[in-house]
Structures are given as C-alpha cells and as structure tokens.
Amino acid sequence: MNLLETIILAVIEGITEYLPVSSTGHMIIASSFMRIATDDFTKLFTIVIQLGAILSVVVLYWKRFFQSVDFYFKLLVAFIPAVVLGLLLNDFIDSLLESPVTVAISLIIGGFILLKVDDWFKENEVYDAENPTAHTEISYMTALKIGFFQCLAMIPGTSRSGASIVGGMTQKINRKTAAEFSFFLAVPTMFGATAYKIYKYYKAGFVLSSDQINYLIIGNIIAFVVALIAIKSFIDYLSKKGFKIFGYYRIVLGIALLVIHFFIYKLTI
C-alpha cells in the first residue's frame, strides 16, 4: 500500500461510512481493483481507518454525548452483541475480508431489502400527537435488538449503519432516530474493533513500520474530514427521501462486481 492508495481508501471510507452501502465492502472492492495485497496490514487498515470517520459523530453530536447517563448505558447494551460475536468470529470475519464475491452478494441482498424497507415501516414516520415520542424513544430492549442487527455487518458488504438503522426501524423507530442511534453506537463499536485489531496484529508478531503508522494517521484524518461533510448530507436526505436510491445503487454495484469477477477478471488471469 502506498500514499495515493491510502488517500483513495480514506476518501471512500469517509463518504461511505454512514451510508447504508458498506464502507468495508467498498474498501475491499477498491483494494481489489488497485491490486493492493490482502495482507495483515491491509486488513488492519480496513478496520482502523473507520475510527477516523466515526469520530466525526463525536464532533457533530458532542452535546448528545453528554445528555444523560442512561444514554451511555443504552449504548453499552447495544454494544455487547458485537463484543461477544466479534471475539467468537474474528478469524471467520478476517477470511471474509478477502472476498469481493461475498461483498457483491451482500450488496445485492441488502439492496433488495432497502428497496422495500420504507414501505414495510412507513407507519414509523407518522407523527402521533397523542404520543409524540412513540417513534423516537429507544428502550434498553430496543437498544439490545439494534445491537444484534449491527452484528450482521460482520459480513462485508452488509453495511453496519444500514443493518442497525433497519434494526431500529423494526422496533418502530423512525428513520432519523434509528440513523442517529446507529451513528452513536458506531463510536464504542469501532473503538473496540480498532483496539482489538491492533492487539491481534501485535500478538501475531507484526510491528507497524513508520510508513504504515503514517498511512494510518493520514487515512484517519482524511476519513474524519470527509465524513463530517457526508453525515449531515445523509441525515437530511434520509429524512426526506428514504432508502430506495441506496437500494438501487447496491444492486447495480453488486451485479457489476459479479460480472467483472466471473466474466472479465477470470479471463485476464
């Protein structure tokens, strides 16, 4: 991996982290097209760089992070499933990070779900004057269920934000509330994933070179700046328009990837 590749991947991460299109999937696709080796550092980079984009949530919503102790406990409850399943399935998840085909299939399946999700849960967007918090209140049980939905994103191409937003909507939460909770939940999730990934990297006997450290720093800074712009745009669009455009995008991209992999790429190797 070189500096230019680092910048490209960081921009992709910043744009896609909060969109329901899978940032990890897009980085795997980009890495495959740029012929970046799927070595241990590349896998580490794919995870760690997401921390920079996630920190944009802390900056944009910093007041919400100091709203109540109850808020932190709900995030903790939602975070628990990712901790347990992440530890149990770490090696399996690592193997999936090498597969553009897995990404393509996940993109297509998730795309069809996004095409229908607005229709499935359209009552969530209806304001209830008699119970104005009906579609904005997140209970502990709702938080836990969202946490389990988030774990679906351990399959590359699924989208962490997409899975957790849809999970919230299944619990009668409106799109905006579900999206914001998904963003908040990303903070402990990615801090945990980053810390564990770095620990595993060093435990395996690898040591980061000065260039690799610089790539991680530069990548996180770029992802942070780009995500600051992307997150607000996404919330505004999602509140007004819904998920359909992201569903179509996922399906087209997934099909294109399968075509390239099985009919073009195979002919050139």
Side-chain angles (χ1 to χ4, degrees):
M1 181 180 293
N2 57 42
L3 180 58
L4 177 60
E5 292 166 342
T6 297
I7 293 172
I8 292 172
L9 291 179
V11 172
I12 291 171
E13 163 59 25
I15 293 172
T16 60
E17 176 60 42
Y18 297 106
L19 303 181
V21 296
S22 178
S23 60
T24 302
H26 276 71
M27 285 191 286
I28 292 172
I29 293 168
S31 297
S32 179
F33 274 101
M34 291 188 289
R35 300 298 178 93
I36 299 174
T38 54
D39 56 19
D40 290 276
F41 176 71
T42 302
K43 294 177 182 178
L44 176 73
F45 183 88
T46 301
I47 301 300
V48 174
I49 194 178
Q50 296 179 52
L51 186 61
I54 294 302
L55 288 176
S56 65
V57 171
V58 180
V59 173
L60 289 173
Y61 293 95
W62 66 271
K63 290 183 180 179
R64 298 283 292 276
F65 278 93
F66 296 97
Q67 59 184 342
S68 70
V69 175
D70 184 63
F71 170 74
Y72 292 108
F73 281 124
K74 287 177 181 177
L75 286 182
L76 177 62
V77 167
F79 175 50
I80 290 172
V83 174
V84 175
L85 292 179
L87 291 173
L88 292 175
L89 301 176
N90 180 69
D91 291 339
F92 175 67
I93 295 167
D94 262 1
S95 68
L96 293 178
L97 291 175
E98 301 178 10
S99 175
V101 174
T102 299
V103 173
I105 294 172
S106 297
L107 284 169
I108 293 170
I109 294 173
F112 280 110
I113 291 173
L114 291 185
L115 288 183
K116 302 300 295 181
V117 72
D118 290 322
D119 296 328
W120 289 340
F121 306 112
K122 59 185 176 182
E123 69 276 6
N124 294 7
E125 308 306 315
V126 178
Y127 178 75
D128 186 347
E130 295 182 2
N131 188 9
T133 63
H135 301 305
T136 60
E137 191 69 32
I138 295 179
S139 66
Y140 281 97
M141 183 55 67
T142 295
L144 180 62
K145 291 177 180 178
I146 292 173
F148 277 110
F149 270 90
Q150 177 182 240
C151 292
L152 294 172
M154 292 178 182
I155 303 172
T158 301
S159 172
R160 189 208 59 79
S161 63
S164 50
I165 292 171
V166 172
M169 292 174 71
T170 66
Q171 304 307 303
K172 301 187 183 302
I173 303 299
N174 65 33
R175 288 191 300 254
K176 186 174 185 294
T177 301
E180 290 181 346
F181 188 79
S182 168
F183 299 163
F184 301 146
L185 178 56
V187 177
T189 300
M190 292 317 304
F191 265 108
T194 296
Y196 183 66
K197 197 68 178 177
I198 292 175
Y199 164 74
K200 290 281 290 184
Y201 189 79
Y202 277 96
K203 186 180 179 181
F206 299 107
V207 178
L208 291 170
S209 68
S210 57
D211 282 342
Q212 289 173 332
I213 292 173
N214 287 336
Y215 293 158
L216 288 174
I217 293 172
I218 292 169
N220 273 283
I221 291 173
I222 294 173
F224 170 80
V225 174
V226 175
L228 281 174
I229 301 169
I231 186 172
K232 280 294 188 181
S233 300
F234 173 57
I235 285 289
D236 290 341
Y237 183 90
L238 184 65
S239 299
K240 298 173 183 176
K241 303 291 186 178
F243 286 102
K244 278 189 170 59
I245 190 173
F246 302 109
Y248 288 122
Y249 171 78
R250 289 177 64 106
I251 292 168
V252 171
L253 179 60
I255 292 173
L257 283 174
L258 291 178
V259 170
I260 290 171
H261 181 80
F262 288 111
F263 295 102
I264 300 177
Y265 177 72
K266 288 294 185 181
L267 295 176
T268 62
I269 59 174

